[in-house]
Amino acid sequence: MTEEILKISGGRPLHGEISVQGAKNSALPLMAAALLCEGETVLTNVPQLSDVYAACRILNRLGCRSTAEGNTIRIVRESAELYEIPDEDMRAMRSSIMFLGPILGSMKRCTLTMPGGCELGPRPINLHLDAMRAMGVRIREGAGRIFCTAEKLTGAKIHLPIPSVGVTENVLMAGVYAEGETVLTNAACEPEITDLANFLNQCGAEIRGAGTHTVVIRGGRKLRGTEYRVMPDRIAAMSYLCAGAAAGGEICLKDTAPDDMKSCLDVLEQAGCRIGVCGDRIFLDRTGPLRSISYIRTMPYPGFPTDAQALISAVLCTASGTSMLEETIFENRFKHMGELARMGADIRVSGRTAVITGVPKLHGASVTAMDLRGGAALAAAAAGAEGITYLSGLHHLDRGYEHFAETFNSLGILTERGTFSALEHTFSAANAKKC
Ligand code: EPU
């Protein structure tokens, strides 16, 4: 078998300092937004991830020349004739829907297919299509494809029934080339949206209010490519902080944006960690016992993020007392809980609620990442668990974490990546234990 796994030897307090990667969830919409620009767009601090390379492939199919060198991506749109996202690309990356706004904005037509369901449950695009309709786009479906066309895009008043991150981003990107003003209410406020608006404004757009629930886009500006640094990844930062919380010890993260992480840092403090912030650095010190948290509910920003729900659940497995987690954003985001139970966690899931009763220690086991953040949560749990954990399903982790094993090693967590056969000896032993 050629599938790679991670072998994580846990149970020792962490120490070390790491740099946090640029944000996946900002880099992807910024890459899509480059379609709107004349000339070259240069994005720096782009994390090296499979989703980023998938976005490069989509851009190249749409007539761009996108090249990646280290953490820099250069994008030039060489032809503006192609407006179809092939089905295999729509399926390869769930976030491919964010190309809809920029393709429509620049070409007034776009053909695509459904992104399909995903690990987190169904991923409907009804709100994306409704927003585009409000801007004058006609939408027809046939033979599994969705055909979107418009004579012109017109500014509109759009109220979102839920503050969707992706829909807010698509409206921003379509709105900059629409005629007149677009006013979006109940917009999502996530920091990645502010990053996108800052980029578009630097390219010549006029967007006000990003980061609040009302965003106003004055359309009709021509955009020129620019050089832009992707913001720090708040969820990657939270992932490494949760590893530190689970294992104990003292760690420092640099290149972070602590102001974007208030709800996450508050929750870590409630769980018994000492948190310090200095400029772009976050220090975590966890020497005492972990404490349970009676109730955490995932909410749109600035609430506690759904992307950090799995991560904090890994920490609470060994907190004294009972914690309750409610997932309000996605239907199916508890798949990691069963895997944590293999490591000795006491968790009961009922619908969108999980009740975690702390146990003194987790133990190493063979576990599988079922989705991106669930995979990182299992790795964080493994850092704190006694013994060796074998983590498979790494294609999920590769979508969102740059050099994950190396980063874990820099924090003092002994982590090896290799194929089953390379690690076979120890793997069989652990599997026998699991059976
Ligand atoms: N929704 C609809 N219809 C739509 C669009 C969304 O019903 O047309 C629903 C979704 O099914 C979900 C809710 O609205 O239940 C919120 O989804 P949202 O559109 O806000 O999420 P997204 O834009 O698809 C982004 C991140 C996710 C993150 C969510 C919520 C990117 C590329 N993805 O997804 O990140 O969980 O916002 O904050 O930005 C991750 O990084 O692991 C990840 C899943």
Side-chain angles (χ1 to χ4, degrees):
M1 246 175 121
T2 53
E3 187 197 353
E4 287 191 322
I5 59 169
L6 277 188
K7 176 183 174 189
I8 302 171
S9 307
R12 277 177 296 274
L14 311 195
H15 55 86
E17 179 178 285
I18 53 163
S19 271
V20 173
Q21 68 187 54
K24 164 182 87 79
N25 289 350
S26 179
L28 296 174
L30 291 176
M31 290 174 72
L35 276 173
L36 295 164
C37 299
E38 277 176 16
E40 188 180 50
T41 297
V42 181
L43 298 173
T44 60
N45 201 33
V46 179
Q48 298 176 39
L49 308 171
S50 56
D51 267 11
V52 164
Y53 301 130
C56 279
R57 275 195 300 280
I58 296 180
L59 284 168
N60 291 345
R61 283 193 200 249
L62 291 170
C64 295
R65 181 163 38 86
S66 64
T67 47
E69 201 184 321
N71 293 106
T72 300
I73 293 202
R74 294 172 184 278
I75 304 163
V76 183
R77 189 164 193 183
E78 292 184 322
S79 124
E81 286 159 19
L82 303 163
Y83 52 83
E84 174 154 3
I85 311 178
D87 187 50
E88 59 176 308
D89 291 334
M90 285 303 296
R91 288 173 191 275
M93 185 179 60
R94 311 296 176 196
S95 323
S96 46
I97 189 65
M98 68 186 46
F99 284 87
L100 176 65
I103 296 175
L104 275 173
S106 59
M107 312 216 34
K108 315 290 174 258
R109 59 193 307 173
C110 177
T111 303
L112 69 167
T113 63
M114 280 295 290
C118 86
E119 312 87 43
L120 311 180
R123 213 83 180 246
I125 59 167
N126 56 322
L127 303 178
H128 294 266
L129 299 182
D130 287 350
M132 296 303 121
R133 266 191 206 100
M135 298 174 90
V137 177
R138 283 185 309 278
I139 298 172
R140 187 170 60 80
E141 290 187 41
R145 290 152 91 205
I146 304 168
F147 303 91
C148 307
T149 47
E151 296 295 313
K152 59 177 184 180
L153 258 66
T154 42
K157 286 193 174 13
I158 303 172
H159 182 81
L160 296 183
I162 44 175
S164 155
V165 174
V167 178
T168 301
E169 290 168 345
N170 261 332
V171 170
L172 253 61
M173 293 189 277
V176 292
Y177 277 168
E179 239 177 66
E181 194 172 81
T182 299
V183 180
L184 181 67
T185 50
N186 201 27
C189 303
E190 270 67 5
E192 292 75 16
I193 287 163
T194 311
D195 211 32
L196 174 63
N198 288 343
F199 166 80
L200 290 168
N201 284 342
Q202 196 172 306
C203 294
E206 198 181 328
I207 300 170
R208 284 176 287 124
T212 74
H213 285 302
T214 303
V215 183
V216 180
I217 308 138
R218 189 173 287 261
R221 301 275 191 274
K222 277 253 172 286
L223 303 196
R224 274 212 71 76
T226 188
E227 180 166 335
Y228 193 84
R229 184 176 169 83
V230 175
M231 64 178 278
D233 194 318
R234 62 197 168 102
I235 306 300
M238 181 62 173
S239 306
Y240 300 121
L241 290 172
C242 284
E250 282 178 53
I251 60 171
C252 170
L253 272 53
K254 54 184 186 173
D255 300 322
T256 69
D259 284 349
D260 294 342
M261 296 184 60
K262 285 201 172 93
S263 62
C264 288
L265 300 182
D266 282 355
V267 160
L268 286 169
E269 281 183 329
Q270 284 176 50
C273 302
R274 279 175 48 205
I275 301 286
V277 167
C278 179
D280 71 354
R281 284 168 194 248
I282 301 175
F283 301 87
L284 177 139
D285 173 352
R286 209 275 286 168
T287 35
L290 285 168
R291 291 193 296 263
S292 59
I293 302 178
S294 53
Y295 180 59
I296 302 177
R297 181 159 79 130
T298 61
M299 289 294 281
Y301 190 84
F304 187 77
T306 171
D307 293 344
Q309 173 262 113
L311 302 165
I312 199 67
S313 72
V315 175
L316 296 173
C317 287
T318 52
S320 58
T322 300
S323 308
M324 188 188 283
L325 286 175
E326 191 192 349
E327 171 57 57
T328 72
I329 311 290
F330 287 105
E331 258 177 44
N332 196 2
R333 218 169 186 180
F334 279 155
K335 286 188 186 159
H336 58 285
M337 298 293 190
E339 300 298 296
L340 286 173
R342 286 177 182 267
M343 300 174 75
D346 179 350
I347 303 177
R348 259 160 306 139
V349 172
S350 167
R352 290 193 181 199
T353 303
V355 176
I356 304 175
T357 305
V359 294
K361 272 272 170 214
L362 296 183
H363 54 76
S366 294
V367 291
T368 303
M370 307 285 193
D371 58 54
L372 169 60
R373 306 303 173 188
L378 294 172
E386 288 292 359
I388 295 176
T389 295
Y390 296 89
L391 175 61
S392 57
L394 299 191
H395 59 284
H396 290 297
L397 271 191
D398 294 338
R399 288 186 39 234
Y401 294 91
E402 178 178 273
H403 309 316
F404 189 83
E406 291 82 347
T407 310
F408 253 37
N409 277 310
S410 303
L411 291 173
I413 313 162
L414 204 59
T415 308
E416 288 174 72
R417 181 170 177 147
T419 58
F420 278 110
S421 50
L423 299 166
E424 194 172 53
H425 182 63
T426 38
F427 181 77
S428 323
N431 242 358
K433 205 166 156 192
K434 181 178 111 186
C435 298

